[in-house]
Amino acid sequence: MDISVAPKEKVTPARSWFRSDATQRLLAFGALIILIIFFSAASPNFLQFNNLVGILLATAVNGVLALGVTFVIITGGIDLSIGTVMTFSAVMTGVFITFWGLPVPVGLVGGILTGALAGVINGTIIAKMKIPPFISTLGMMYVAKGLSLVISGLKPIYFNDTPEFRPITMGSALGSVFPNVEFLQIPNAVFILFGAAIIASLILTKTILGRYTFALGSNEEATRLSGVNVDRWKIAVYTLCGTFAGLGGVMMASRLNSAQPALGQGYELDAIAAVVIGGTSLSGGEGTIQGTIIGAFVMSVLVNGLRILSVPQEWQTVVTGGIIIVAVYLDILRRRKG
Amino acid sequence: MSELLVVMEGIEKSFPGVHALSQSRFELRPGEVHALVGENGAGKSTMMKILAGVYSKDAGRILLKGREVDIPNPRAAQHLGISMIHQELNLMPHLTIAQNIFIGREPRRGVKFVLDDAAINAQTRQFLDMLHLNLDPRTKVADLTVAKQQMVEIAKALSFNAEVLIMDEPTAALTESEIDELFRIIRKLRDQGVGIVYITHRLEELFTISDRVTVMRDGQYVGTVKTSDTTRDEVIRMMVGRTIYETAPDILERPEQDIVLEVKNLNRGRVLKNVNFYLKRGEILGFAGLMGAGRTEVARAIIAADPVDSIEVYVQGKRAHIHTPSDAVRYGIGYLSEDRKRYGLTLGMDVETNIVLASFRKFLGALGVVKRSKTRATAEHFVKMLAIRTPSLQQKVKNLSGGNQQKLVIAKWLTADTDILIFDEPTRGIDVGAKSEIYKLLNDLAHQGKSIIMISSELPEILRMSHRIIVMCEGRITGELSAAEATQEKIMTYATQRGGIIQTTESAPTLSQVGTA
Ligand SMILES: Nc1ncnc2c1ncn2[C@@H]1O[C@H](COP(=O)(O)OP(=O)(O)OP(=O)(O)O)[C@@H](O)[C@H]1O
Ligand SMILES: [Mg+2]
């Protein structure tokens, strides 16, 4: 951020429309709509029900990871470990259910808690040992990756003995109530994503944890001087982020009906990209859950649409990168104005 | 004598390389306003931060109502009824006024984790009303002027209902009417039995508001006197340990006639309207006006720090195309920001780097390597010249006292050696001795042919230093006075000459700092 030329206080009380939070969501939302219109016009397959379900499913895991890291980014931090922590949680779920034969619900909770534990460790290292988030979570990224490989013995763990595991995300509770209505056959994963988003949004806007998330990112020293136990809340934020990564891991395992120990690295960057496209500032202090969800959809619509248009994989990656830069630049322009 | 509320004695505090406090002491009675004064870096803020739990003391005792207490962190201080308004603003700009005031002790609804924003908004409105502040508690702090932010800090400190209230230079950014409001509140609290510690460099304020004065020098306790028994000169003598000459160096030498800077047709929305003026070589041009009159905005427009609707800048008679602040430096225009912490300094870097930062190019040798010996010599020179109190050139700037940071900003722009210098509130937060040093310096610079724009809210300072005075009101230039004809009354008349402009929702500004020197 360009500190030296940051505009001084507003003299006019009304914030210009370009700057307002509502508009920010509108901008990202507008971009999403434009992408959808573009791809629908370019290919008749895009709006097919199956394709739309594909997009929703593809967004589910990345979206859940992005929800968690939104909190961390609003505090002005970063969490690079969520991708491999997700994998580690999936592997541990496999250990609990397939290796140890624990009941599925216990395995699910265990998987999510695995992510939470990684978050506690991240938060403690950052808050107590004062190691910058970038470094400590980078370390955790490798640790989680390595542990996944060690524990799984480099091989995928399958959930073949527990047929009820896969439908947790891939089944459709809604669809089974209305078996004859095609457009209601939406997989549970999508509802899990939206449920998680609603919870995340409530935490961020209505609870004390959300308030301190913004306060930490806005001015950590002032927060400390106000008598807030900054370390404790920082740990809480990273724990929350880890919990979402754990949830993502369980969802991933269920969807693939297996824990794939080699998967995961790179997911953290997709999640961070979604958050940033959604208008959350990497310098901390501002951000919304709605924005993150929209950002996650921008990413998956883009990938899906380009694939439908038969754009080669390599070029999809190039375009995605360009879109991220454009999205963030628009956001910077928005901030500079007004 | 009433029972003592706070006694601090034998206080020791060292930072790496700095013995900030040695055998220092302080006492506070209930129902008194106790002023704490001393030069920049004397240890006033450090002493009070120890009382507020921000720093821990190395040695010494703190007694609260006769009982020895341990204050390990700000939260503990709050529980003991001690609250502090810090010298530097300590707010969370992204949060609302109400959220800032209640940070750390939010009322919850039902379940333990759910916030009750309706409650904090309602309570905040009461605190704001108490201060006669017409602000919406839901306004984001980032959208307030610096003065209003300071008032929010004050409201926050009041909301603790503390028995010990510490104010570290609370008036540095306030307008006169806000200062009156603050004094009214302080007297009210005092009458309720609150003990108030009041740190300031504006010695006049002592005599308006304080009951007793304690002076510190070089981290040591010098003495405590009853305000009614002392004089301004006596306090100054205790502060600096010698007599200093406060009378201005008489300037008023005619500047040359050639114009070095001309600004035409400057417009920016409702903030600036048709501003035109020029600056001559060797001239000190004072910019007077109320807080919020648009003086800082003019400076920022010239160096292209803010977008404007229209502006024409001519440097040495030629049209200058300034699109970024670094363009301005290339045209020889330096701007010393009023908000040093945000725009003026790189706080995490050392003293030497900050001094040479704006003019690195001058210190490059072959292959672009920085010549350390040269940067060191320059930094040493300015540290000596401005009497900047620092243990070494390698000290991080954030560890300097507030006033010494301000001096550093000045050193930085003197190194850049620009021909046109814009000083925005150059003496804010600076002690008496250093103030007269800075006046002398401005004068010398003008003698050397540099041209200076001095924005100041202290009228006596403007009157004493300027060859010519421009007065602004609500974004327009409403008057121009030569040094000979200027008086406080004339400036005030121009400064309140509204041009039938639509009022913003901010309460009408009033003339600040009349009668201070
Ligand atoms: N965190 C810190 N680390 C190192 N040195 C410090 C720190 N805080 C203060 N100091 C040093 O301690 C001394 C006293 O500083 P302090 O801020 O108490 O001065 P002050 O009397 O408040 O001055 P001013 O009027 O300029 O605000 C100074 O020399 C300062 O450089
Ligand atoms: Mg101080």
Side-chain angles (χ1 to χ4, degrees):
Chain A
M1 297 268 93
D2 42 356
I3 315 266
S4 62
V5 293
K8 250 184 57 130
E9 77 262 343
K10 293 295 114 9
V11 178
T12 42
R15 307 218 290 163
S16 97
W17 68 270
F18 192 58
R19 256 181 72 104
S20 73
D21 292 346
T23 328
Q24 173 206 327
R25 251 166 280 145
L26 230 78
L27 276 184
F29 194 62
L32 181 60
I33 300 294
I34 289 170
L35 279 179
I36 291 174
I37 292 174
F38 172 77
F39 287 125
S40 336
S43 161
N45 295 333
F46 183 78
L47 279 182
Q48 295 282 310
F49 177 72
N50 280 340
N51 189 51
L52 292 181
V53 166
I55 292 175
L56 287 167
L57 260 183
T59 315
V61 170
N62 184 37
V64 165
L65 294 183
L67 290 175
V69 81
T70 302
F71 285 81
V72 167
I73 291 177
I74 293 175
T75 66
I78 196 84
D79 190 342
L80 298 176
S81 70
I82 49 176
T84 60
V85 164
M86 171 192 83
T87 305
F88 184 52
S89 301
V91 167
M92 288 311 290
T93 309
V95 169
F96 296 142
I97 294 176
T98 302
F99 289 4
W100 297 359
L102 294 175
V104 169
V106 176
L108 292 179
V109 172
I112 294 173
L113 287 182
T114 304
L117 180 68
V120 172
I121 296 172
N122 272 332
T124 307
I125 293 174
I126 292 162
K128 299 291 181 194
M129 293 161 68
K130 312 285 176 216
I131 295 178
F134 190 95
I135 307 295
S136 36
T137 61
L138 185 70
M140 179 57 79
M141 177 176 103
Y142 285 110
V143 170
K145 181 182 176 183
L147 284 178
S148 301
L149 293 171
V150 171
I151 291 173
S152 66
L154 306 175
K155 288 191 300 287
I157 307 173
Y158 292 95
F159 296 89
N160 291 334
D161 308 335
T162 46
E164 71 272 32
F165 185 63
R166 186 156 193 268
I168 291 171
T169 54
M170 298 306 283
S172 175
L174 183 68
S176 62
V177 179
F178 305 99
N180 298 322
V181 191
E182 200 218 352
F183 71 89
L184 291 181
Q185 308 298 318
I186 299 168
N188 296 335
V190 177
F191 293 100
I192 298 176
L193 169 65
F194 285 113
I198 290 169
I199 292 172
S201 177
L202 289 176
I203 294 176
L204 189 62
T205 56
K206 299 276 183 253
T207 70
I208 192 90
L209 177 58
R211 178 64 41 82
Y212 293 159
T213 300
F214 282 107
L216 282 172
S218 190
N219 188 343
E220 185 175 329
E221 178 65 4
T223 310
R224 192 176 77 85
L225 291 177
S226 305
V228 174
N229 188 335
V230 165
D231 290 355
R232 195 171 69 199
W233 291 104
K234 237 189 218 175
I235 295 172
V237 167
Y238 282 89
T239 306
L240 185 67
C241 180
T243 309
F244 277 103
L247 176 62
V250 171
M251 290 168 72
M252 195 71 170
S254 163
R255 192 176 142 198
L256 302 176
N257 201 34
S258 63
Q260 301 283 345
L263 214 73
Q265 203 163 2
Y267 276 63
E268 68 283 345
L269 298 182
D270 287 347
I272 292 168
V275 174
V276 169
I277 290 173
T280 295
S281 153
L282 276 179
S283 49
E286 30 188 344
T288 59
I289 293 299
Q290 294 92 313
T292 294
I293 289 294
I294 292 169
F297 274 106
V298 168
M299 298 277 292
S300 49
V301 164
L302 196 63
V303 169
N304 178 283
L306 292 173
R307 193 184 315 130
I308 284 188
L309 296 186
S310 314
V311 175
Q313 170 93 46
E314 329 49 291
W315 282 106
Q316 289 175 26
T317 314
V318 172
V319 173
T320 308
I323 293 279
I324 291 173
I325 293 172
V326 170
V328 174
Y329 181 61
L330 279 178
D331 197 46
I332 287 174
L333 279 186
R334 177 181 69 83
R335 276 168 226 276
R336 202 179 286 164
K337 279 267 171 78
Chain B
M1 195 172 101
S2 50
E3 183 208 351
L4 291 173
L5 187 56
V6 175
V7 175
M8 301 175 76
E9 54 189 23
I11 305 288
E12 293 279 335
K13 178 74 188 174
S14 291
F15 297 107
V18 191
H19 196 168
L21 296 174
S22 72
Q23 288 302 311
S24 197
R25 50 169 292 121
F26 184 77
E27 62 169 52
L28 182 67
R29 294 180 194 149
E32 80 164 339
V33 179
H34 196 143
L36 182 57
V37 299
E39 288 179 291
N40 295 130
K44 308 178 292 293
S45 299
T46 305
M47 188 78 174
M48 287 305 129
K49 280 181 181 169
I50 287 174
L51 185 55
V54 178
Y55 293 150
S56 56
K57 56 188 185 318
D58 297 344
R61 309 198 299 156
I62 301 177
L63 304 179
L64 193 69
K65 295 186 203 151
R67 199 166 48 86
E68 181 161 0
V69 289
D70 184 34
I71 312 176
N73 53 47
R75 168 142 260 175
Q78 284 174 14
H79 284 309
L80 291 169
I82 300 167
S83 105
M84 175 162 181
I85 300 168
H86 289 274
Q87 185 168 10
E88 312 291 343
L89 285 170
N90 266 300
L91 295 169
M92 283 123 303
H94 298 90
L95 302 191
T96 68
I97 296 176
Q99 291 169 353
N100 264 282
I101 288 183
F102 281 92
I103 188 84
R105 55 203 168 102
E106 291 83 356
R108 322 282 171 80
R109 224 174 7 187
V111 204
K112 200 167 167 279
F113 281 110
V114 180
L115 296 165
D116 189 350
D117 272 353
I120 67 170
N121 286 337
Q123 289 187 44
T124 300
R125 189 158 290 130
Q126 285 178 3
F127 292 124
L128 295 177
D129 285 348
M130 245 170 77
L131 286 165
H132 296 253
L133 274 178
N134 184 19
L135 294 171
D136 185 336
R138 290 165 303 180
T139 316
K140 271 198 186 174
V141 163
D143 293 341
L144 299 174
T145 62
V146 176
K148 290 285 185 288
Q149 290 184 8
Q150 180 69 55
M151 291 306 274
V152 170
E153 286 260 32
I154 291 167
K156 178 175 170 184
L158 293 179
S159 70
F160 286 98
N161 293 318
E163 283 177 89
V164 177
L165 183 54
I166 305 160
M167 302 189 170
D168 196 348
E169 296 191 40
T171 54
L174 296 187
T175 66
E176 166 131 315
S177 68
E178 287 160 334
I179 293 175
D180 287 346
E181 201 58 57
L182 177 65
F183 284 0
R184 191 180 60 78
I185 297 276
I186 289 179
R187 291 196 183 98
K188 198 167 118 196
L189 291 173
R190 179 187 63 191
D191 296 343
Q192 290 166 6
V194 177
I196 295 157
V197 184
Y198 192 91
I199 301 178
T200 187
H201 286 296
R202 296 185 175 163
L203 298 182
E204 307 69 33
E205 289 181 350
L206 302 187
F207 297 93
T208 320
I209 195 70
S210 74
D211 302 306
R212 289 196 294 164
V213 182
T214 287
V215 179
M216 289 182 68
R217 190 198 313 151
D218 296 334
Q220 283 172 327
Y221 172 83
V222 176
T224 303
V225 289
K226 262 182 84 173
T227 313
S228 51
D229 294 348
T230 189
T231 63
R232 189 189 152 92
D233 288 343
E234 171 71 13
V235 172
I236 293 177
R237 198 187 48 69
M238 285 169 78
M239 273 171 66
V240 298
R242 66 195 141 87
T243 323
I244 61 158
Y245 300 98
E246 262 210 290
T247 42
D250 250 321
I251 49 158
L252 294 189
E253 197 167 301
R254 280 279 100 208
E256 294 167 41
Q257 286 310 305
D258 42 334
I259 290 172
V260 290
L261 175 76
E262 185 159 19
V263 173
K264 281 187 188 164
N265 192 23
L266 168 54
N267 283 289
R268 176 183 159 199
R270 296 202 292 168
V271 183
L272 296 173
K273 280 166 238 118
N274 194 24
V275 172
N276 297 285
F277 68 91
Y278 60 87
L279 175 68
K280 290 190 260 183
R281 184 181 314 287
E283 181 177 46
I284 299 178
L285 178 63
F287 261 72
L290 312 171
M291 292 258 175
R295 295 165 301 164
T296 296
E297 284 70 18
V298 169
R300 290 176 59 89
I302 295 173
I303 64 158
D306 293 328
V308 293
D309 303 334
S310 68
I311 186 170
E312 287 167 43
V313 179
Y314 297 85
V315 176
Q316 323 281 9
K318 278 203 286 293
R319 179 78 191 260
H321 296 278
I322 301 174
H323 300 295
T324 65
S326 64
D327 289 344
V329 177
R330 262 192 285 118
Y331 279 107
I333 304 173
Y335 170 61
L336 287 79
S337 163
E338 63 176 333
D339 190 346
R340 58 183 173 264
K341 197 161 184 174
R342 247 156 82 202
Y343 309 124
L345 293 169
T346 316
L347 291 169
M349 295 178 89
D350 63 27
V351 169
E352 180 176 328
T353 310
N354 269 280
I355 289 179
V356 298
L357 202 58
S359 44
F360 240 2
R361 241 175 258 166
K362 286 204 291 193
F363 300 97
L364 294 183
L367 301 172
V369 181
V370 178
K371 288 193 197 142
R372 275 301 302 279
S373 58
K374 237 176 118 183
T375 60
R376 191 172 316 131
T378 307
E380 259 163 18
H381 170 73
F382 284 111
V383 164
K384 196 130 124 246
M385 169 167 159
L386 297 173
I388 297 173
R389 194 169 301 202
T390 172
S392 79
L393 295 177
Q394 271 60 56
Q395 179 73 312
K396 289 216 172 102
V397 170
K398 66 173 176 219
N399 293 336
L400 297 189
S401 79
N404 282 305
Q405 290 183 8
Q406 178 73 1
K407 292 183 188 173
L408 207 58
V409 182
I410 295 180
K412 170 174 155 178
W413 286 106
L414 291 181
T415 312
D417 200 22
T418 50
D419 287 332
I420 300 164
L421 287 158
I422 308 176
F423 288 85
D424 198 348
E425 306 286 358
T427 62
R428 177 180 290 171
I430 284 196
D431 66 47
V432 266
K435 237 181 206 175
S436 52
E437 287 302 318
I438 286 174
Y439 293 152
K440 233 175 29 224
L441 186 82
L442 289 183
N443 213 23
D444 291 348
L445 290 172
H447 270 292
Q448 291 162 22
K450 309 231 175 215
S451 314
I452 295 169
I453 294 175
M454 185 181 72
I455 301 170
S456 171
S457 297
E458 303 203 16
L459 276 189
E461 179 171 293
I462 286 263
L463 284 168
R464 176 164 146 185
M465 294 301 299
S466 319
H467 295 111
R468 195 157 55 92
I469 297 163
I470 283 179
V471 190
M472 289 189 69
C473 177
E474 294 183 347
R476 291 170 201 272
I477 291 181
T478 47
E480 186 185 319
L481 296 160
S482 69
E485 57 182 345
T487 62
Q488 292 208 1
E489 291 69 37
K490 278 188 193 156
I491 293 178
M492 267 198 296
T493 314
Y494 284 130
T496 50
Q497 207 167 72
R498 308 229 155 82
I501 304 157
I502 315 120
Q503 278 271 303
T504 57
T505 56
E506 296 260 340
S507 63
T510 22
L511 199 68
S512 52
Q513 302 324 313
V514 184
T516 53

